[in-house]
Amino acid sequence: MGKILKAGFVILLLQGLVSQVMAQALNDYTLQNSSETAGDGGALELGIGFGADSVPMYLGGHDDELDVIGRLVASYQWRGAFFEFDNDKSDNIPIGSETVILGFNAYNSQNLALDLIVGPEHSKRYSNSDEQYAGIKERKGDATGGVRATLYMGDYIGQFIARTDLSGRHDGSSASILVGRNWQLSRFNFHSNFKLGFASQKMADFYLGVSADEANSTFNEYHVNDAYYSAIQLGLAYPFTKEWVLRFNTSVAYVSDELANSPLLASDSNVRNSTEFTVNYVF
């Protein structure tokens, strides 16, 4: 675990080798984070395409199976308050999510934005009707809140997020550091990104642990400690008209043993690759 964290910070310090830009800030056709959007208003992007993961997330999935996927990205801002929705799951990481965010921009300058945020970080898992998880108690979704700081440095973007449970589901917390940059060549927009994340023992164990009461012949008792992950993403966006955009993203994630060894996951692989290609309409 310590090696993973040290390696992540080394990569972070060597920013010239690995850099991050958020998908929402690629170009005029990419939805902006609300804290950097000037004035009130919103944006909406819908897409459809194909995606594949090197390993499935949950039991019953298949390796490298090509699936039809839908993309929905939406944002709206009004007097500092904002809403963001992005159903991108291309990093294939089994803990944490930022699909929906409600927030308020507490500070905004040319180089720095500070936001107060709240929203679900995990959805419901292991439904009681799912035979693959017989004997496992259903995990309810949570709601977490915290702060988001975004730093703009020319073509580079850095972001730090810290959140804690507000719902009382697990009383855990999470944090992530994201760094990046984008490049434009003619009408092609390229981006690369690096993210280093942390989930506390309470959060990780709630969603990926197996209690003594749940343990059976299929699932051994398993307890998760503090968990870490890192992910690198490469992407391309090509707006072939004002409204239509082609997007391609591929990512490689590394999750710590605490996550990978959970019997509730379909694979114990530390490395997880994902690829997506979508055609999107920007309203």
Side-chain angles (χ1 to χ4, degrees):
M1 176 169 53
K3 292 181 179 179
I4 298 171
L5 187 58
K6 290 178 182 177
F9 279 113
V10 169
I11 296 174
L12 185 62
L13 292 173
L14 298 176
Q15 168 57 34
L17 298 178
V18 184
S19 57
Q20 162 72 22
V21 70
M22 295 180 297
Q24 295 89 343
L26 291 173
N27 54 38
D28 293 338
Y29 302 99
T30 306
L31 299 178
Q32 303 291 321
N33 277 329
S34 62
S35 58
E36 72 177 299
T37 302
D40 297 338
L44 177 65
E45 181 174 326
L46 297 175
I48 190 170
F50 299 95
D53 298 325
S54 62
V55 295
M57 183 77 74
Y58 300 112
L59 300 177
H62 301 283
D63 295 358
D64 296 317
E65 184 176 53
L66 192 65
D67 295 317
V68 176
I69 60 173
R71 291 286 284 115
L72 171 59
V73 186
S75 67
Y76 189 82
Q77 175 175 303
W78 182 74
R79 296 185 179 181
F82 61 85
F83 162 83
E84 297 172 1
F85 180 92
D86 187 346
N87 70 341
D88 178 25
K89 298 293 185 183
S90 60
D91 55 18
N92 197 24
I93 294 172
I95 196 74
S97 172
E98 295 165 17
T99 302
V100 182
I101 291 179
L102 299 174
F104 183 80
N105 178 226
Y107 175 81
N108 196 18
S109 69
Q110 183 177 357
N111 301 110
L112 178 64
L114 298 175
D115 302 319
L116 304 177
I117 60 173
V118 64
E121 201 166 347
H122 300 86
S123 58
K124 182 178 71 173
R125 300 185 182 187
Y126 323 126
S127 172
N128 293 328
S129 60
D130 189 347
E131 296 181 358
Q132 297 279 356
Y133 289 97
I136 300 299
K137 297 177 182 177
E138 183 177 272
R139 307 298 200 267
K140 300 292 185 181
D142 61 4
T144 65
V147 296
R148 178 176 69 183
T150 306
L151 181 65
Y152 306 99
M153 304 164 288
D155 293 332
Y156 292 83
I157 294 177
Q159 189 173 83
F160 171 76
I161 297 177
R163 304 174 70 166
T164 188
D165 182 34
L166 302 177
S167 62
R169 299 290 188 206
H170 49 72
D171 297 323
S173 58
S174 66
S176 65
I177 298 174
L178 178 148
V179 189
R181 183 184 172 174
N182 71 319
W183 300 263
Q184 184 163 344
L185 179 62
S186 184
R187 298 184 68 185
F188 291 91
N189 290 273
F190 300 90
H191 76 273
S192 65
N193 62 58
F194 173 75
K195 183 178 182 180
L196 178 65
F198 160 82
S200 71
Q201 181 272 331
K202 289 183 178 180
M203 176 181 286
D205 191 58
F206 180 79
Y207 285 105
L208 294 173
V210 178
S211 68
D213 293 339
E214 295 174 308
N216 54 44
S217 58
T218 304
F219 301 100
N220 295 324
E221 182 178 355
Y222 185 74
H223 298 286
V224 187
N225 296 316
D226 293 344
Y228 300 86
Y229 63 86
S230 59
I232 297 174
Q233 183 186 76
L234 300 175
L236 166 67
Y238 179 76
F240 56 93
T241 71
K242 185 178 180 180
E243 294 84 14
W244 290 96
V245 184
L246 292 175
R247 297 196 185 280
F248 171 82
N249 290 291
T250 185
S251 67
V252 179
Y254 186 93
V255 300
S256 63
D257 290 340
E258 286 78 7
L259 299 177
N261 293 336
S262 170
L264 299 178
L265 298 180
S267 171
D268 61 359
S269 174
N270 295 96
V271 179
R272 298 165 177 269
N273 309 97
S274 298
T275 301
E276 289 185 355
F277 174 80
T278 58
V279 179
N280 304 269
Y281 185 83
V282 181
F283 292 84

